[in-house]
Amino acid sequence: MPLVLRVELRRAGAANTVETSAQVNTGYLSGDITLPEIYLPVGLAERLGFELKKVRRDVYATMSGQVDVLILGDVEVKVVVPDRDTPWIKAVATTMLRGRPYVIISAELLHFLNVAIIDTIGFGLWAFRDELGKRTREGVPLEFWPS
């Protein structure tokens, strides 16, 4: 099992937020360290206020071939933990009409969230990079967003 984190999301500059889980995928590379990406399922994208008919389309190359991707726009993401306030990190939100029903964090976004993976058994073990060797945190169950 991969690492699953608790995150809070909002459209860039918006007041309303959504808290959910997000699977970490170190194989999900945006290709540009300055533009981290996050994949949102359609149901969550709509809840955040994205209008799927008004977004840019692109084609991504994946291990299973080319896929049509919708580039939703900017979101802000933060890791949710009970003992620490974390900063909002800007990312580009993407989705696919017949994609996964859960949130996926790119490798670049994981870097900016300051998260280090310790183990991927169960829901995963992790730490913020500044607490490595001092504290180990557990991942959370994965939440699904029907479209």
Side-chain angles (χ1 to χ4, degrees):
M1 286 292 282
L3 173 60
V4 181
L5 301 173
R6 191 93 191 134
V7 296
E8 190 172 1
L9 303 162
R10 66 183 180 197
R11 284 187 73 170
N16 68 318
T17 66
V18 174
E19 193 173 306
T20 189
S21 67
Q23 176 184 303
V24 172
N25 183 341
T26 57
Y28 173 15
L29 302 170
S30 68
D32 184 345
I33 189 68
T34 64
L35 293 172
E37 287 187 10
I38 186 167
Y39 169 85
L40 305 179
V42 170
L44 177 55
E46 291 173 334
R47 180 157 173 200
L48 288 171
F50 288 105
E51 296 180 49
L52 301 185
K53 293 179 182 178
K54 296 182 179 182
V55 300
R56 183 171 61 90
R57 295 179 179 270
D58 201 350
V59 176
Y60 280 21
T62 69
M63 289 177 57
S64 58
Q66 294 187 334
V67 295
D68 292 321
V69 176
L70 302 177
I71 310 300
L72 300 170
D74 292 340
V75 293
E76 295 171 322
V77 184
K78 67 190 275 182
V79 178
V80 176
V81 291
D83 62 324
R84 180 174 178 160
D85 188 31
T86 61
W88 288 102
I89 304 298
K90 186 176 174 181
V92 176
T94 65
T95 195
M96 292 184 293
L97 294 178
R98 288 183 289 283
R100 306 263 184 212
Y102 50 86
V103 177
I104 305 173
I105 293 174
S106 70
E108 292 90 351
L109 181 54
L110 184 68
H111 167 78
F112 286 109
L113 292 172
N114 194 35
V115 171
I117 299 171
I118 297 172
D119 199 349
T120 57
I121 299 299
F123 297 116
L125 299 176
W126 65 281
F128 289 109
R129 286 195 306 270
D130 62 348
E131 59 188 21
L132 273 171
K134 303 173 200 159
R135 177 166 192 168
T136 300
R137 297 175 183 268
E138 293 183 6
V140 298
L142 191 58
E143 290 180 50
F144 296 91
W145 288 84
S147 27

